[in-house]
Amino acid sequence: MEVDIKRLERLALLKLSDEEEKALSKDVEKIIGFFKQLDGIVLEGVEPLFHVMEKEAGVREDSVEKGIEKLWIERSAAKTIDGYVVGPRTITGEES
Amino acid sequence: MSLVNKQLRYVVEAVRDNREALSEYIYRLYERIERYEEKLKGFITLRPADTVIREALEANRLGKPLAGIPIAVKDNISTEGIRTTCASAILENYIPPYDATVVKRLREAGAVIIGKTNMDEFAMGSTTETSYFGPSRNPWDPSRVPGGSSGGSGVVVSAYMAPAALGSDTGGSVRNPAAYTGIFGYKPTYGGLSRYGLIAYASSLDQIGLMTRDSVDAALLLEYIAGEDPRDPTSLDLRVGGLFKEISSLGEGRDLPKARLVIVKEMWSGVEDHVFKTTMNAVDKLSSEGFEVEEVSVPEVSYALPAYYVIAFAEASSNLSRYGIPLYGLSKDPENTSWIDYYSEIRSKGFGKEVKRRIMLGSFILSAGYYEQYYIKALKVRRLLRDRLLPLLRRGYIASPTMPIQPPRLGEAIEDPLRLYAMDIETVIPNLIGSPAISLVAGFANSLPVGLQLIGPPLGDRDLLLIARTIEIIIGLSNLSPQMG
């Protein structure tokens, strides 16, 4: 099968060097070949099990609790303005 | 004999009313660390001895139950004020603003964090070789890996650099290094220990676990850290109150509890010859001591490994999408960069090869056109496996070798991803079905410890640990000391 490695890079938000691309393409093909073993088992009528705990997640009490200090955020963020974290532009006109 | 070679529970007793003995004990640990750490690389971050001693003496003075005992913590478990890297360049300088629940509970009980242990990057690996900080080495033979991904935790417990450690186990990452370094490894039932503060790899499989010198020490620590946590809605009550007392008294005149061992044939095929023999000898010994042994065939087990990896990669690609944000970890001035370039550059620089491989495959699995073919199919295999195995676990404990091969030499397994993944063939099964599992020493082959894995039913942790203790007493191979130069 043909894996479109550039597409996977985009999906995983990675930018690989040519060398990395070559090595990873080979690995990815090999590993997908291994996943194809799953074709050998009959699964008719079996429901997928997303999580072993099939219980409803409860909701916590809606009460005020000590959260992360604003100071920590200001200290660890790459850049802040007036206490707000600066992020990269989401709209640049480029096709994504 | 120095306290350093003793199990944690004896150290706690010895130092409880003797603060001088506590400082002396911690000094001795640091002496060991000074002597062996350079070679073995168990820690990513080691806290200064005087800080640890100061905190320990304070916990001791306050009369806390664990009396100031130092514990090592895997570096993907958040520790407030102590760097937590996940063995990745992307979190190299990350200092968490809060403690994971298990860490908080340990501290409240009077334990002190001695340091953060080495691991495979984001727990993705089975040898500790994918660590950004370089590989750990096996104290039994430093040319070999200590297993992974909690390899550093295995190293420091095995080499007497800490009496116990926390690890995490997504597909065997506690049991694998426990087997390879000759210690006790315990992965609780899914949800048995809060995951709050555990940096996520594959959330439906991730579980924090304990690595100790034997099952009794694990039971002692478990009582302090188990219990539901409002911050983790998947957390459960393991009902382990009084377990330590009960497990400690086993072997003292009373008859040992016996159980049925279930041998799933497919879990014993493809196992290296001397691993097979050593583990089967242990099973035979248990059988001669009154354990029942039943052999069954479960062909679906052969599909566990690909199903596990599909699910783990899919969840990983989603969990790791958070890295690169300009709030923590590796980042740069976000001005004048497009969103895609910004994230792609940081992530490409910050993630190692194995992590890139896994998140790309995860993205592939979850992408349109392949979701049904791989992801949904793997989840169906997971249900089928659970439906087949749970009835067996109501009858007895599934016993198998923990690892199908002995620890590879450094560099031997890491270059071939499929060979690396195949190492997890035994250990992924409990994670897929949410079961608790342990690894203990079954015997030796080629002068290296060989692990026996025991899987119990979900929420059967208490009885699983009691049976593990019985087996330790019968086999007689716990609290082992590797010969180190």
Side-chain angles (χ1 to χ4, degrees):
Chain A
M1 80 167 274
E2 270 299 294
V3 172
D4 180 353
I5 201 82
K6 293 271 185 209
R7 178 164 170 263
L8 294 189
E9 283 177 55
R10 265 198 317 278
L11 288 173
L13 283 176
L14 292 171
K15 203 179 278 177
L16 303 180
S17 66
D18 292 349
E19 216 170 286
E20 274 182 310
E21 262 181 18
K22 227 167 119 184
L24 278 171
S25 303
K26 228 172 78 189
D27 292 346
V28 164
E29 300 259 356
K30 206 160 124 182
I31 295 164
I32 292 171
F34 160 64
F35 291 162
K36 282 190 186 299
Q37 284 180 14
L38 294 175
D39 292 340
I41 185 166
V42 180
L43 295 164
E44 262 176 42
V46 182
E47 287 298 313
L49 179 63
F50 285 87
H51 205 279
V52 289
M53 216 172 270
E54 293 178 286
K55 70 167 189 183
E56 293 275 319
V59 179
R60 245 195 295 162
E61 191 80 11
D62 185 15
S63 58
V64 179
E65 279 175 33
K66 191 174 158 277
I68 290 167
E69 304 276 344
K70 207 171 162 197
L71 190 65
W72 179 83
I73 294 173
E74 287 191 28
R75 272 200 205 128
S76 48
K79 192 170 185 177
T80 59
I81 296 174
D82 298 336
Y84 291 93
V85 178
V86 179
R89 292 176 69 93
T90 49
I91 300 166
T92 55
E94 287 173 31
E95 205 192 327
S96 62
Chain B
M1 187 171 142
S2 153
L3 274 181
V4 166
N5 300 345
K6 298 267 195 197
Q7 290 97 318
L8 177 138
R9 59 189 176 281
Y10 299 126
V11 182
V12 170
E13 278 320 306
V15 303
R16 191 183 302 286
D17 300 310
N18 189 342
R19 293 165 66 196
E20 213 169 285
L22 176 60
S23 324
E24 170 73 16
Y25 171 69
I26 298 174
Y27 272 122
R28 294 266 175 256
L29 292 180
Y30 276 89
E31 264 177 22
R32 302 272 308 172
I33 293 167
E34 202 163 300
R35 186 149 169 221
Y36 297 110
E37 173 61 7
E38 203 182 311
K39 185 165 29 169
L40 300 177
K41 295 204 185 330
F43 288 103
I44 288 176
T45 302
L46 178 68
R47 300 181 74 206
D50 53 351
T51 311
V52 170
I53 290 176
R54 198 181 57 238
E55 285 180 16
L57 291 177
E58 179 62 9
N60 189 288
R61 193 183 62 80
L62 293 171
K64 295 192 174 188
L66 291 175
I69 199 95
I71 305 268
V73 175
K74 187 178 181 179
D75 212 19
N76 60 349
I77 301 175
S78 303
T79 41
E80 184 176 350
I82 307 171
R83 181 173 78 135
T84 299
T85 69
C86 268
S88 180
I90 212 160
L91 290 178
E92 187 174 3
N93 298 309
Y94 169 61
I95 297 175
Y98 63 90
D99 272 335
T101 296
V102 288
V103 170
K104 188 165 166 266
R105 289 180 180 171
L106 275 178
R107 285 180 158 164
E108 281 167 1
V112 175
I113 310 307
I114 185 168
K116 304 298 295 286
T117 56
N118 200 9
M119 54 184 279
D120 283 292
E121 184 178 2
F122 282 101
M124 296 180 183
S126 310
T127 62
T128 314
E129 290 172 287
T130 72
S131 169
Y132 168 67
F133 300 94
S136 299
R137 289 170 180 272
N138 194 318
W140 293 86
D141 175 356
S143 73
R144 294 178 189 274
V145 303
S149 69
S150 316
S153 289
V155 168
V156 303
V157 175
S158 165
Y160 297 112
M161 302 198 287
L166 292 177
S168 72
D169 190 314
T170 304
S173 286
V174 158
R175 290 157 284 148
N176 160 340
Y180 280 175
T181 61
I183 62 169
F184 186 77
Y186 161 52
K187 176 203 102 69
T189 294
Y190 180 83
L193 294 176
S194 166
R195 282 180 298 118
Y196 179 70
L198 169 67
I199 298 176
Y201 161 20
S203 309
S204 81
L205 305 160
D206 289 343
Q207 181 57 61
I208 289 174
L210 287 162
M211 302 173 76
T212 51
R213 305 205 60 81
D214 63 20
S215 57
V216 184
D217 279 358
L220 173 62
L221 294 175
L222 183 65
E223 280 198 44
Y224 291 107
I225 61 178
E228 283 178 281
D229 176 11
R231 292 181 188 273
D232 174 4
T234 62
S235 61
L236 297 165
D237 181 5
L238 286 181
R239 297 185 290 270
V240 287
L243 174 62
F244 173 63
K245 201 172 162 210
E246 189 180 352
I247 201 170
S248 308
S249 69
L250 282 181
E252 288 171 4
R254 285 196 300 134
D255 275 351
L256 292 170
K258 301 286 154 52
R260 181 196 296 255
L261 300 180
V262 179
I263 304 292
V264 176
K265 274 197 294 197
E266 288 77 6
M267 292 176 76
W268 291 76
S269 68
V271 171
E272 211 174 66
D273 206 26
H274 22 266
V275 173
F276 185 101
K277 279 187 195 140
T278 309
T279 332
M280 204 38 104
N281 280 345
V283 170
D284 289 343
K285 185 161 184 194
L286 294 171
S287 164
S288 69
E289 294 284 336
F291 278 63
E292 281 178 60
V293 180
E294 174 189 352
E295 199 178 289
V296 297
S297 168
V298 184
E300 292 87 347
V301 156
S302 319
Y303 297 93
L305 195 67
Y308 166 81
Y309 271 101
V310 166
I311 296 167
F313 290 0
E315 293 187 15
S317 72
S318 167
N319 274 325
L320 270 65
S321 61
R322 70 189 60 160
Y323 297 103
I325 66 161
L327 181 54
Y328 54 78
L330 196 63
S331 60
K332 58 172 197 167
D333 187 340
E335 300 257 30
N336 306 316
T337 323
S338 78
W339 192 86
I340 289 199
D341 285 346
Y342 176 83
Y343 279 98
S344 304
E345 271 169 38
I346 290 175
R347 291 160 63 82
S348 303
K349 205 168 126 190
F351 288 145
K353 190 171 153 190
E354 184 61 29
V355 174
K356 287 178 183 167
R357 191 145 62 196
R358 294 191 187 198
I359 59 179
M360 284 175 73
L361 277 155
S363 304
F364 169 79
I365 290 159
L366 293 176
S367 64
Y370 299 105
Y371 180 82
E372 292 277 339
Q373 190 182 345
Y374 296 103
Y375 185 53
I376 295 296
K377 199 174 275 176
L379 294 172
K380 288 180 177 178
V381 170
R382 183 186 205 174
R383 182 179 299 277
L384 205 58
L385 264 176
R386 192 175 71 158
D387 290 351
R388 293 285 284 119
L389 295 178
L390 287 191
L392 296 179
L393 290 169
R394 280 195 279 275
R395 291 214 295 271
Y397 296 93
I398 295 176
S400 75
T402 309
M403 301 300 294
I405 57 170
Q406 294 210 274
R409 292 184 193 284
L410 267 85
E412 221 173 47
I414 190 77
E415 287 310 319
D416 178 357
L418 291 185
R419 187 165 168 203
L420 193 71
Y421 304 165
M423 287 171 68
D424 303 339
I425 194 149
E426 313 287 352
T427 50
V428 298
I429 292 165
N431 300 77
L432 282 170
I433 65 172
S435 269
I438 60 99
S439 175
L440 51 75
V441 181
F444 280 83
N446 305 316
S447 309
L448 294 165
V450 173
L452 171 72
Q453 173 176 253
L454 219 60
I455 307 172
L459 289 174
D461 299 58
R462 187 184 190 101
D463 289 339
L464 174 66
L465 288 168
L466 289 168
I467 288 300
R469 180 59 184 163
T470 304
I471 297 177
E472 273 175 357
I473 292 171
I474 293 172
I475 295 180
L477 290 175
S478 62
N479 196 24
L480 302 171
S481 309
Q483 292 296 314
M484 302 197 296

